[in-house]
C-alpha cells in the first residue's frame, strides 16, 4: 500500500517548507545588513560628515577631538561634549587655543 499524505498533512509540509525558506531568507538579509553596515563604517570611518575629507584626531587632556583636514570642522565622540562642558574657563580657553584655525 502506498502511503498518501492527507491534504492537511500536505498543507502542513508546504507551510513548514515555506517557514524554513523564510528563516533562511531572513538570516541572509541579516547578514547582508551587517555586511552593508560594515561597508558603510569602513567607508566613513574618520571621514568628515560634512565634506568627506579625512579627520585628524587631536588630543587635549582627556578629550580627543576629530578635526577635519578639509573644512576644519570639529567633531566630538559620544560623551566628549559633557567633558568639554565640565572644563573651567581657563581649560576651555586652552582647548579653543589648540583647535582654533
Ligand atoms: Zn570637512
Amino acid at each position: 500500500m502506498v502511503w498518501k499524505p492527507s491534504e492537511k498533512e500536505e498543507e502542513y509540509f508546504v507551510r513548514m517548507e515555506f517557514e524554513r525558506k523564510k528563516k533562511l531568507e531572513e538570516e541572509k538579509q541579516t547578514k547582508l545588513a551587517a555586511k552593508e553596515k560594515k561597508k558603510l563604517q569602513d567607508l566613513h570611518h574618520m571621514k568628515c560628515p560634512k565634506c568627506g575629507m579625512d579627520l585628524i584626531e587631536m588630543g587635549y587632556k582627556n578629550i580627543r577631538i576629530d578635526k577635519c583636514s578639509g573644512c576644519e570642522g570639529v567633531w566630538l565622540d559620544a560623551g566628549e561634549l559633557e567633558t568639554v562642558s565640565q572644563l573651567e574657563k581657563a581649560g576651555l580657553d586652552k582647548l579653543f587655543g589648540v583647535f582654533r584655525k
Side-chain angles (χ1 to χ4, degrees):
M1 201 182 114
V2 180
W3 180 74
K4 202 170 163 265
S6 72
E7 241 173 66
K8 266 218 156 89
E9 276 172 320
E10 262 191 40
E11 205 185 288
Y12 173 77
F13 285 121
V14 168
R15 218 171 36 221
M16 287 296 284
E17 183 64 4
F18 173 77
E19 289 300 325
R20 193 184 66 84
K21 284 185 178 164
K22 197 176 123 187
K23 214 178 150 214
L24 281 178
E25 207 48 46
E26 282 168 357
E27 280 166 16
K28 215 163 84 184
Q29 282 169 19
T30 305
K31 263 185 211 154
L32 215 78
K35 234 169 106 177
E36 189 62 24
K37 199 174 161 186
K38 175 86 174 67
K39 208 172 93 184
L40 286 173
Q41 278 173 346
D42 289 347
L43 204 63
H44 297 287
H45 181 69
M46 289 306 278
K47 298 286 179 197
C48 177
K50 283 220 170 136
C51 72
M53 294 295 112
D54 285 333
L55 296 176
I56 297 164
E57 191 177 71
M58 297 167 80
Y60 174 75
K61 296 200 170 175
N62 53 344
I63 306 159
R64 309 188 72 82
I65 291 179
D66 302 318
K67 189 172 180 175
C68 178
S69 58
C71 70
E72 298 198 25
V74 167
W75 313 104
L76 297 167
D77 287 339
E80 284 176 338
L81 189 61
E82 285 86 339
T83 312
V84 170
S85 72
Q86 281 156 15
L87 284 177
E88 305 283 323
K89 175 86 175 75
L92 263 181
D93 287 343
K94 275 185 193 145
L95 179 74
F96 288 140
V98 171
F99 296 105
R100 197 170 288 128
K101 270 193 184 187

